Amino acid sequence: MNKEVALVTGAGRGIGLATTQRLLDDGFHVVMVDLNAEPLATNAAALLEAGGSVEHHAISITDRAAVSALIASLPRLDVLVNNAAVFWDGKFDDVCEDDFKKMYEVNVIGAFVMAQEAIKVMKRGARIVNVASRAYLAGYAHSPYITSKAGAVGLTRGMAFDLAERGIFVNAIAPGLIETDMFRSLTPERQQELIAKQPTKEVGQPEDIANGIAFFASPRTRNVTGQILTLDGGRSMGISIY
Ligand SMILES: NC(=O)c1ccc[n+]([C@@H]2O[C@H](COP(=O)([O-])OP(=O)(O)OC[C@H]3O[C@@H](n4cnc5c(N)ncnc54)[C@H](O)[C@@H]3O)[C@@H](O)[C@H]2O)c1
């Protein structure tokens, strides 16, 4: 295949779907992966109908056998976007150990499995983009998510060192509040509370994150690795003391 191939996880909706569209606009063939088969198939069909070079696969990023078989079937793999994740809110006292493990299994181990299988076929100049979250810095009432996203940042930095000499670049995006089903799963009160803390008083759009991902995914972005790009309406600047 002449086109560069990008694999996007969690591509059935939200940020993953916007990223798929953006990478199609940038000339990639996009391999869409999502656990949730129905929206994935519908959205992939719409993109195909519009002339997009896409294929879709309903698998879990935690299923190593399925991931390995899919990656082995691709003609080439230039970009991996590790975007799929799960999220839920909850006070620390109420966090249940099984839920904590489940979140870590998808948000960290899933990304690790994807990357470890991807690098078996990736060549010099390939790029991996992990979608972390601004939440890795801190936040109320979602300690398992914060832990998993700090894990995504750690994975990015660790992989960046290990893969640098092979010419595989690994970077991460840390989104702030983005208007997707994940954000809409919060109560309206919690949504308003979080928006009020944004310096911009705005919730970001999936396309804002897709643009950042496209920067790291671009073949023109050379010699950049181990970086975390925070796209959060200025929230991570901290609290103004004036
Ligand atoms: N929306 C936000 O406010 C926000 C903020 C910071 C970071 N993020 C991060 O951005 C990324 C995308 O978030 P979103 O808001 O688009 O979420 P979303 O919930 O709308 O989409 C996530 C997608 O991942 C898929 N998925 C979940 N588990 C999977 C698995 N095991 N295998 C394959 N696919 C799986 C889901 O089916 C879903 O389609 C996530 O990593 C999320 O943590 C989102």
Side-chain angles (χ1 to χ4, degrees):
M1 175 173 290
N2 289 334
K3 279 175 183 280
E4 285 208 327
V5 173
L7 190 159
V8 180
T9 69
R13 68 182 194 188
I15 291 169
L17 183 59
T19 300
T20 299
Q21 180 65 70
R22 174 58 207 261
L23 295 181
L24 287 174
D25 294 345
D26 288 354
F28 287 91
H29 170 77
V30 182
V31 180
M32 301 170 73
V33 166
D34 204 295
L35 181 60
N36 198 351
E38 198 285 313
L40 175 69
T42 305
N43 287 319
L47 291 169
L48 206 57
E49 177 81 21
S53 178
V54 291
E55 61 185 82
H56 68 283
H57 301 269
I59 60 169
S60 173
I61 58 168
T62 60
D63 180 347
R64 190 181 277 270
V67 169
S68 174
L70 168 59
I71 288 175
S73 76
L74 300 176
R76 58 188 283 178
L77 184 57
D78 302 280
V79 171
L80 166 65
V81 181
N82 264 326
N83 165 75
V86 292
F87 168 85
W88 48 83
D89 237 4
K91 294 232 162 63
F92 183 70
D93 285 0
D94 305 326
V95 172
C96 129
E97 192 175 325
D98 279 350
D99 284 350
F100 206 127
K101 284 180 183 159
K102 196 174 150 201
M103 188 170 277
Y104 202 81
E105 177 72 19
V106 177
N107 295 8
V108 183
I109 308 291
F112 154 73
V113 166
M114 289 299 310
Q116 209 175 43
E117 292 301 322
I119 60 166
K120 289 180 183 168
V121 300
M122 279 179 155
K123 300 217 164 18
R124 212 169 173 81
R127 290 84 67 196
I128 296 175
V129 188
N130 294 324
V131 181
S133 169
R134 184 217 61 85
Y136 86 92
L137 291 167
Y140 289 106
H142 43 293
S143 48
Y145 186 69
I146 291 170
T147 307
S148 75
K149 291 303 184 176
V153 168
L155 188 65
T156 301
R157 291 181 185 272
M159 280 166 49
F161 264 110
D162 280 1
L163 302 176
E165 281 188 28
R166 283 158 64 177
I168 298 176
F169 303 119
V170 189
N171 294 287
I173 298 286
L177 302 177
I178 308 299
E179 199 169 8
T180 66
D181 289 343
M182 187 176 274
F183 177 71
R184 287 186 283 266
S185 72
L186 299 169
T187 63
E189 296 74 33
R190 182 89 167 115
Q191 289 182 21
Q192 288 314 312
E193 186 193 331
L194 292 172
I195 291 171
K197 289 179 177 163
Q198 297 278 110
T200 57
K201 309 291 179 225
E202 251 189 54
V203 57
Q205 295 304 310
E207 293 72 21
D208 301 335
I209 305 307
N211 288 337
I213 292 171
F215 168 72
F216 285 136
S218 169
R220 286 198 254 171
T221 306
R222 294 246 336 117
N223 213 25
V224 177
T225 202
Q227 302 306 304
I228 316 299
L229 176 61
T230 305
L231 301 175
D232 70 343
R235 179 81 173 94
S236 55
M237 287 190 290
I239 298 163
S240 168
I241 55 168
Y242 297 109

